[in-house]
Short mmCIF file of all heavy atoms in Angstrom, two decimals:
data_model
loop_
_atom_site.label_atom_id
_atom_site.label_comp_id
_atom_site.label_asym_id
_atom_site.label_seq_id
_atom_site.Cartn_x
_atom_site.Cartn_y
_atom_site.Cartn_z
N PHE A 137 36.89 -88.44 -17.07
CA PHE A 137 37.24 -89.45 -16.07
C PHE A 137 38.66 -89.24 -15.58
O PHE A 137 38.97 -89.43 -14.39
CB PHE A 137 37.07 -90.84 -16.66
CG PHE A 137 37.27 -91.96 -15.68
CD1 PHE A 137 36.26 -92.31 -14.78
CD2 PHE A 137 38.46 -92.67 -15.65
CE1 PHE A 137 36.47 -93.36 -13.88
CE2 PHE A 137 38.68 -93.70 -14.74
CZ PHE A 137 37.67 -94.04 -13.85
N ALA A 138 39.56 -88.86 -16.50
CA ALA A 138 40.94 -88.57 -16.12
C ALA A 138 41.02 -87.35 -15.20
O ALA A 138 41.97 -87.23 -14.40
CB ALA A 138 41.79 -88.36 -17.36
N MET A 139 40.06 -86.44 -15.32
CA MET A 139 39.97 -85.27 -14.45
C MET A 139 39.22 -85.56 -13.16
O MET A 139 38.93 -84.65 -12.39
CB MET A 139 39.28 -84.13 -15.19
CG MET A 139 40.05 -83.64 -16.43
SD MET A 139 39.01 -82.69 -17.59
CE MET A 139 38.36 -81.43 -16.51
N LYS A 140 38.86 -86.85 -12.94
CA LYS A 140 38.12 -87.30 -11.75
C LYS A 140 36.72 -86.70 -11.72
O LYS A 140 36.20 -86.37 -10.65
CB LYS A 140 38.88 -86.97 -10.47
CG LYS A 140 40.23 -87.65 -10.36
CD LYS A 140 40.93 -87.30 -9.07
CE LYS A 140 42.30 -87.97 -8.99
NZ LYS A 140 43.01 -87.61 -7.73
N ILE A 141 36.10 -86.58 -12.90
CA ILE A 141 34.70 -86.15 -13.01
C ILE A 141 33.96 -87.20 -13.81
O ILE A 141 34.29 -87.50 -14.96
CB ILE A 141 34.61 -84.78 -13.72
CG1 ILE A 141 35.26 -83.70 -12.87
CG2 ILE A 141 33.15 -84.40 -14.00
CD1 ILE A 141 35.26 -82.32 -13.48
N GLY A 142 32.96 -87.80 -13.21
CA GLY A 142 32.16 -88.81 -13.87
C GLY A 142 31.18 -88.19 -14.84
O GLY A 142 30.81 -87.02 -14.72
N ALA A 143 30.73 -88.98 -15.83
CA ALA A 143 29.80 -88.46 -16.84
C ALA A 143 28.81 -89.55 -17.22
O ALA A 143 29.13 -90.75 -17.18
CB ALA A 143 30.55 -87.98 -18.06
N CYS A 144 27.61 -89.11 -17.57
CA CYS A 144 26.55 -90.04 -17.99
C CYS A 144 25.69 -89.33 -19.02
O CYS A 144 25.37 -88.14 -18.86
CB CYS A 144 25.70 -90.48 -16.80
SG CYS A 144 24.28 -91.54 -17.22
N GLY A 145 25.34 -90.05 -20.10
CA GLY A 145 24.51 -89.42 -21.12
C GLY A 145 24.06 -90.42 -22.17
O GLY A 145 24.67 -91.48 -22.35
N THR A 146 23.00 -90.06 -22.85
CA THR A 146 22.56 -90.88 -24.00
C THR A 146 23.57 -90.73 -25.13
O THR A 146 24.26 -89.71 -25.22
CB THR A 146 21.16 -90.44 -24.46
OG1 THR A 146 21.20 -89.02 -24.75
CG2 THR A 146 20.13 -90.69 -23.40
N TYR A 147 23.63 -91.72 -26.00
CA TYR A 147 24.61 -91.66 -27.10
C TYR A 147 23.99 -92.18 -28.39
O TYR A 147 22.97 -92.85 -28.38
CB TYR A 147 25.88 -92.45 -26.75
CG TYR A 147 25.73 -93.96 -26.76
CD1 TYR A 147 26.02 -94.72 -27.89
CD2 TYR A 147 25.31 -94.64 -25.61
CE1 TYR A 147 25.89 -96.09 -27.89
CE2 TYR A 147 25.17 -96.02 -25.60
CZ TYR A 147 25.46 -96.74 -26.75
OH TYR A 147 25.34 -98.10 -26.75
N ARG A 148 24.65 -91.83 -29.49
CA ARG A 148 24.25 -92.28 -30.82
C ARG A 148 25.21 -93.37 -31.27
O ARG A 148 26.43 -93.21 -31.13
CB ARG A 148 24.27 -91.11 -31.81
CG ARG A 148 23.40 -89.93 -31.35
CD ARG A 148 23.74 -88.67 -32.11
NE ARG A 148 22.97 -87.53 -31.64
CZ ARG A 148 23.20 -86.27 -31.99
NH1 ARG A 148 24.18 -86.00 -32.85
NH2 ARG A 148 22.47 -85.28 -31.51
N GLU A 149 24.65 -94.43 -31.83
CA GLU A 149 25.50 -95.57 -32.19
C GLU A 149 26.54 -95.27 -33.25
O GLU A 149 27.59 -95.87 -33.28
CB GLU A 149 24.61 -96.74 -32.65
CG GLU A 149 23.87 -97.42 -31.52
CD GLU A 149 23.23 -98.72 -31.98
OE1 GLU A 149 22.17 -98.64 -32.61
OE2 GLU A 149 23.81 -99.78 -31.72
N HIS A 150 26.23 -94.28 -34.12
CA HIS A 150 27.20 -93.98 -35.18
C HIS A 150 28.33 -93.08 -34.66
O HIS A 150 29.23 -92.73 -35.42
CB HIS A 150 26.49 -93.27 -36.35
CG HIS A 150 25.89 -91.95 -35.97
ND1 HIS A 150 24.60 -91.85 -35.55
CD2 HIS A 150 26.42 -90.70 -35.97
CE1 HIS A 150 24.34 -90.56 -35.30
NE2 HIS A 150 25.42 -89.87 -35.53
#
Side-chain angles (χ1 to χ4, degrees):
F137 185 79
M139 297 162 55
K140 299 180 181 179
I141 295 178
C144 176
T146 55
Y147 71 94
R148 304 164 183 170
E149 286 192 281
H150 63 268

